[in-house]
Amino acid sequence: MNAINKKRQRHLSLGFSLPEVMIAMLVLGIVAFGFTGSLILSQKLATENLIRTSAYTIAQSYLDQIRLMPAGTLNQSINNSKKYPLPTRGISEDAKENIVKEDPLYLKQRNQKTIIIESETKDGKTKNRTMNLYLTPRITDLKPAMNAYEIVLDFEYEARHLRGTSTRKGSLRFYKINLAE
């Protein structure tokens, strides 16, 4: 009998009981669920940061172009924006031709731009990930005799994520004084 009891004790101590296995699976499931959630959140934040950085960088480049324009060009556009838009340049989506293209901005109007934020080539095919960017430039002639201007570039961009699309806004402002002109 003693040999049978020893064999039974050894058999019982070799494995885990069903409640122990179930508790271990529950703890592992909770940890895995939390880890997966944090990975999804970090991916979403990285994508939103890429989109926001792209929007601000492109809006800043348009503002820099406007900032470098002579006072005569700014005055023409202020007086008749439909006939004389701000002569800015953008980057073409079709890189086979000239990469830089004329891309005018109209004052006090919402100008839509489609921006490539990520490009991926797979099996010889290029897939572009784009966002919509809306630019609304405003120029106020502060002191006509001094050629002093307040240049404001309001912009909106669409942030696409798992739950749909949300619109975010930003604004850039610059003061320009041309003493030489």
Side-chain angles (χ1 to χ4, degrees), residues 135-164:
L135 301 166
T136 307
R138 294 180 285 130
I139 300 176
T140 305
D141 196 350
L142 299 174
K143 291 206 173 209
M146 290 181 54
N147 291 325
Y149 305 95
E150 176 189 37
I151 302 167
V152 179
L153 187 60
D154 296 320
F155 61 96
E156 298 175 35
Y157 59 97
E158 294 178 351
R160 295 184 188 111
H161 43 78
L162 296 174
R163 286 178 258 148

Side-chain angles (χ1 to χ4, degrees), residues 50-60 131 133 135 155 157:
L50 172 69
I51 292 170
R52 182 178 58 244
T53 302
S54 298
Y56 272 90
T57 301
I58 291 167
Q60 182 65 48
M131 74 169 181
L133 178 66
L135 301 166
F155 61 96
Y157 59 97

Side-chain angles (χ1 to χ4, degrees), residues 57-96:
T57 301
I58 291 167
Q60 182 65 48
S61 72
Y62 278 102
L63 183 67
D64 287 343
Q65 291 180 60
I66 296 168
R67 180 182 60 85
L68 294 173
M69 290 178 189
T73 303
L74 296 177
N75 285 330
Q76 268 186 333
S77 191
I78 290 170
N79 294 330
N80 190 349
S81 177
K82 290 188 191 307
K83 187 174 180 184
Y84 300 106
L86 296 168
T88 54
R89 299 176 71 131
I91 297 175
S92 173
E93 291 180 36
D94 186 14
K96 295 173 188 164

Side-chain angles (χ1 to χ4, degrees), residues 4-23:
I4 294 174
N5 284 340
K6 283 185 181 181
K7 209 177 195 183
R8 187 179 284 167
Q9 283 179 344
R10 209 176 339 141
H11 177 68
L12 291 176
S13 65
L14 290 178
F16 297 103
S17 67
L18 183 60
E20 289 173 332
V21 171
M22 289 177 67
I23 290 172

